């Protein structure tokens, strides 16, 4: 009978209890209540019937869901039916649950109920009754058994044994007594059921045998498996043993190697340590030696120390004295500097005045020059006319004398020298100014010739014809001086006249009317067409004076630039500058008057040695190139190196790219100029003398820089012994 939790429960059957068969045929499974009904159909006393019926009712009451068994909590439903408390019901449940599985089957319920019923009827001996009932049941059960056993004949024994043997129960059953009693009971009570019972037993035993065989097979398989596993494990174990052994050997090997290596290492370390120890001992000896030496030195140094202290004190006294002297010297120096400044300023003023007067002289002289040229041309024409007249006269006389003689030279002969080469304008001018050929104005204003001036033979015109000269020497401090005030003297005759007279040419030479010098200004300066540079001459003398030299290839526009800067006008077709020229312009820089002495040099190669001389005393240099002429830009480096040669890098340099108005003919990109200026630390502008663009800005920038540089120099000289630091002129 399967209990509600699925376990197979084999327990003693009560007499008259149905077996596992249905009311009609075999094998149908019975509902638990059916067995109760079955019991009713058996011979029962009415009391038992009632009890059974009651039990059935109570079972149904508890098993309201019809699940076929009663759990502990279902028992509580009897609380109303029976005069029992919940605890009593719990106790009854426990008493009824014969196998203690926590559930009551109908059999357990009715069996227990009947005892309970009987004990209910004799409530006084309840417990005893219960025990008695139990004992009674056991006795009945045993006695039945014994009875059965006692009654069983040999043949029944033999039959049962045969049955058991047939069924092979020995293998399956350990204890046949249960079956035996049942068999006997059935044989006795229900012989018609015996065959069923035997069939049932056969089935059960065969199933049990199969199960047993299966179990044996399983056991056998299990044993085989276990054996195999054991073997495998044994094998693995051996392998493991092997591996462990090999590992151990390797480890031992490694260990020995490591040990050997370690021991070698340690030996080496030991050797090193020993060496170090030796070195340390030697070092210690050395140090001890040094220590003793130092000890000695210490005594010596102590002695020296005392001496030094003494000398130190003397030096301190000396120092004090020299500091006093220094202070005196500083005061003297300051006074000297102030005097020097005053002298310098006076000198500057003197120079300024002189250069100003020179400016005027130069303008006057230029007027003179122009006048003379005109005069010269005039005279030359007259001379030609006279010449022709003479010639004509001569020709007449010669023709009259011997008309048969042949004809002579051409009219242009005077313009062609002996070798038949046309004489150039400048040669003509040289002749006029009697400047001997292949010469250029020297620094002192003398023409540069092979022999020293004044040492040569005096010419036909008396003493060596002395051209109009003006000494502008920037070398020996800028004090240009007039040599012989020649502009007051009447000019010498024009050399051709002398020449012509020398050759004894007859003929009336029109005495050139004496020169009428152009009226001069009250200051003795000629008033001519070339206006003097209109400097912004302020009533007070300028605060600063800077000399600026202007260089650059010929025809880049230096003179035009200076004319634009000074006179704010541009005259195209300027003649090339001869030697050197200069102008003065006073500008206002940061509320102070700065006079700029601008030296315009000739770019032509042949005047190069002159211009070089002028760099020495310059305060600033302007290098100009023509941005429409690449060659002039390429020459800038050469100009810069000659400036560098002459003045090092203490002089600020302004780089100007001129003719900016001619953008369409530009050959030098602005970037190249900027890069060159940056590489050489220059101030850079692109300008145009023609349009005036950047002419004032560039020069004002240079003037401001010069002024600041001079201020720093002044400050530094006031603090003694600190040389002026040259600032980068373009702030790059
Ligand atoms: N378009 C243009 N032409 C200029 C400019 N400046 C000068 N020129 C012309 O360039 C030529 C040379 O000018 P100068 O000022 O005599 O050149 P320079 O540097 O003094 O020449 P040297 O005296 O021989 O060294 C003249 O024909 C000027 O008219 C300018 O800014 N623009
Ligand atoms: Ca139970
Ligand atoms: Mg010039």
């Amino acid at each position: 009978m399967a209990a509600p939790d699925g376990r197979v429960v084999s327990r003693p059957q009560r007499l008259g209890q149905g077996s596992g068969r249905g009311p009609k045929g075999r094998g149908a499974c019975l509902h638990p209540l059916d067995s109760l009904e079955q019991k009713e159909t058996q011979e029962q006393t009415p009391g038992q019937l009632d009890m059974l019926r009651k039990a059935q009712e109570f079972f149904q009451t508890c098993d309201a869901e019809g699940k076929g068994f009663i759990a502990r909590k279902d028992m509580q439903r009897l609380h109303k039916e029976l005069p029992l408390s919940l605890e009593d019901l719990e106790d009854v449940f426990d008493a009824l649950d014969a196998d203690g599985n926590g559930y009551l089957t109908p059999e357990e319920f009715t069996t227990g109920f009947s005892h309970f019923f009987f004990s209910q009827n004799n409530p006084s001996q309840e417990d005893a009754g219960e025990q008695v009932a139990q004992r009674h049941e056991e006795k009945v059960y045993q006695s039945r058994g014994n009875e059965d056993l006692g009654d069983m004949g040999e043949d029944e024994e033999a039959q049962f044994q045969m049955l058991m043997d047939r069924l092979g129960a020995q293998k399956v059953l350990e204890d046949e007594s249960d079956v035996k009693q049942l068999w006997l009971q059935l044989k006795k009570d229900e012989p018609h059921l015996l065959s069923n019972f035997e069939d049932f037993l056969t089935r059960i035993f065969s199933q049990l045998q199969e199960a047993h065989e299966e179990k044996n097979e399983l056991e056998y398989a299990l044993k085989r498996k276990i054996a195999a596993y054991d073997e495998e494990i044994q094998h693995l174990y051996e392998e493991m043993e092997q591996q462990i052994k090999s590992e151990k050997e390797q480890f031992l090997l490694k260990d020995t190697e490591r040990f050997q290596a370690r021991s070698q290492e340690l030996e080496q370390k030991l050797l090193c340590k020993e060496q170090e120890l030796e070195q340390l001992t030697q070092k210690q000896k050395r140090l001890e030696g040094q220590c003793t030496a130092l000890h000695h030195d210490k005594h010596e140094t102590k002695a020296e120390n005392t001496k030094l202290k003494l000398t130190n004190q003397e030096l301190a006294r000396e120092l004090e004295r020299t500091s006093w002297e220094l202070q005196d010297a500083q005061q003297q120096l300051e006074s000297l500097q102030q005097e020097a400044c005053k002298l310098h300023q006076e000198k500057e003023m003197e120079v300024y005045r002189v250069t100003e007067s020179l400016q005027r002289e130069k303008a006057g002289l230029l007027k003179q020059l122009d006048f003379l040229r005109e005069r010269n041309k005039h005279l030359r024409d007259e001379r030609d006319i006279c010449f022709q007249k003479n010639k004509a006269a001569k020709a007449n006389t010669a023709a009259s004398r011997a008309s048969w003689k042949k004809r002579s030279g051409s009219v242009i002969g005077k313009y062609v020298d002996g070798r038949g080469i046309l004489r150039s304008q400048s040669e003509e001018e040289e002749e006029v100014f009697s400047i001997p050929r292949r010469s250029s104005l020297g620094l002192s204003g003398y023409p540069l010739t092979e022999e020293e001036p004044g040492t040569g033979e005096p010419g036909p015109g008396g003493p060596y014809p002395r051209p109009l000269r003006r000494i502008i020497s920037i070398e020996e401090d800028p004090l240009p001086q007039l040599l012989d005030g020649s502009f007051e003297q009447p000019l010498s005759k024009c050399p051709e006249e002398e020449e012509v007279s020398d050759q004894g040419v007859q003929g009336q030479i029109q005495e050139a009317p004496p020169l009428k010098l152009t009226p001069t200004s009250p200051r003795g300066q000629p008033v001519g067409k070339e206006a003097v540079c209109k400097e912004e001459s302020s009533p007070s003398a300028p605060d600063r004076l800077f000399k600026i030299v202007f260089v650059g290839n010929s025809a880049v526009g230096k003179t035009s630039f200076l004319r634009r800067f000074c006179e704010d006008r541009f005259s195209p077709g300027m003649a090339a500058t001869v030697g050197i020229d200069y102008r003065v312009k006073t500008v206002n820089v940061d509320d102070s008057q700065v006079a700029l002495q601008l030296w315009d040099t000739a770019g032509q190669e042949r005047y190069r040695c002159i211009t070089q001389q002028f760099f020495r005393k310059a305060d600033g240099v302007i290098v100009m190139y023509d941005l429409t002429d690449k060659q002039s830009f390429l020459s800038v480096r050469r100009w810069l190196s000659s400036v560098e040669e002459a003045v090092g890098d203490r002089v600020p340099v302004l780089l100007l790219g001129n003719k900016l108005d001619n953008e369409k003919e530009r050959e030098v990109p602005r970037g190249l100029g900027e890069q060159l200026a940056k590489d050489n630390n220059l101030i850079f502008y692109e300008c145009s003398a023609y349009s005036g663009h950047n002419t004032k800005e560039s020069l004002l920038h240079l003037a401001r820089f010069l002024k600041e540089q001079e201020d720093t120099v002044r400050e530094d000289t006031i603090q003694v012994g600190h040389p002026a630091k040259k600032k980068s002129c373009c702030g790059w």
Side-chain angles (χ1 to χ4, degrees), residues 220-373:
Y220 179 63
L222 193 62
K223 279 180 188 145
R224 267 215 321 272
K225 281 246 183 283
I226 289 168
Y229 285 148
D230 286 350
E231 222 173 278
E232 204 171 320
I233 287 165
Q234 192 59 26
H235 185 63
L236 285 174
Y237 189 70
E238 281 157 10
E239 270 182 17
M240 288 296 285
E241 287 287 317
Q242 288 298 333
Q243 277 183 7
I244 288 167
K245 231 179 250 165
S246 61
E247 287 295 326
K248 269 185 185 168
E249 282 160 9
Q250 281 176 4
F251 186 71
L252 282 175
L253 204 64
K254 276 183 189 164
D255 222 6
T256 44
E257 284 166 5
R258 224 182 3 252
F259 181 72
Q260 283 162 4
R262 186 76 186 137
S263 56
Q264 283 168 2
E265 203 178 295
L266 289 173
E267 278 165 13
Q268 280 166 4
K269 275 188 180 170
L270 187 66
L271 284 175
C272 300
K273 292 296 176 199
E274 281 166 1
Q275 286 165 1
E276 279 175 17
L277 188 66
E278 274 173 32
Q279 286 167 3
L280 287 174
T281 42
Q282 286 164 7
K283 204 169 181 182
Q284 192 190 355
K285 284 173 190 158
R286 244 192 347 268
L287 289 174
E288 278 163 4
Q290 286 174 4
C291 198
T292 44
L294 283 175
H295 211 60
H296 294 312
D297 294 350
K298 190 177 157 192
H299 294 305
E300 286 160 14
T301 39
K302 258 185 190 162
E304 278 175 28
N305 244 346
T306 43
K307 284 179 200 159
L308 286 174
K309 273 179 188 154
L310 294 172
T311 43
N312 202 356
Q313 283 156 9
E314 283 164 23
L315 285 173
R317 283 194 291 278
E318 190 74 20
L319 182 67
E320 206 170 320
R321 199 158 30 76
T322 41
S323 63
W324 286 114
E325 285 168 11
L326 187 62
Q327 278 170 5
D328 298 345
Q330 275 184 353
Q331 283 154 8
Q332 287 170 13
L333 186 65
E334 275 170 18
S335 57
L336 285 174
Q337 268 157 11
Q338 279 153 13
E339 281 169 29
C341 270
K342 282 187 194 112
L343 277 175
H344 187 70
Q345 283 168 0
E346 282 159 17
K347 207 169 77 171
E348 302 288 5
M349 294 312 116
E350 185 56 29
V351 167
Y352 173 64
R353 274 192 291 280
V354 170
T355 42
E356 229 184 14
S357 59
L358 278 171
Q359 176 76 28
R360 292 192 185 91
E361 271 168 41
K362 178 210 135 198
L365 289 171
L366 282 174
K367 309 283 164 300
Q368 298 267 335
L369 192 59
D370 294 343
F371 176 68
L372 286 173
R373 278 193 184 126

Side-chain angles (χ1 to χ4, degrees), residues 22-39:
K24 295 280 179 293
R26 296 172 182 238
C29 72
L30 292 174
H31 187 277
L33 292 183
D34 296 351
S35 58
L36 291 180
E37 277 151 20
Q38 263 189 344
K39 283 181 189 145

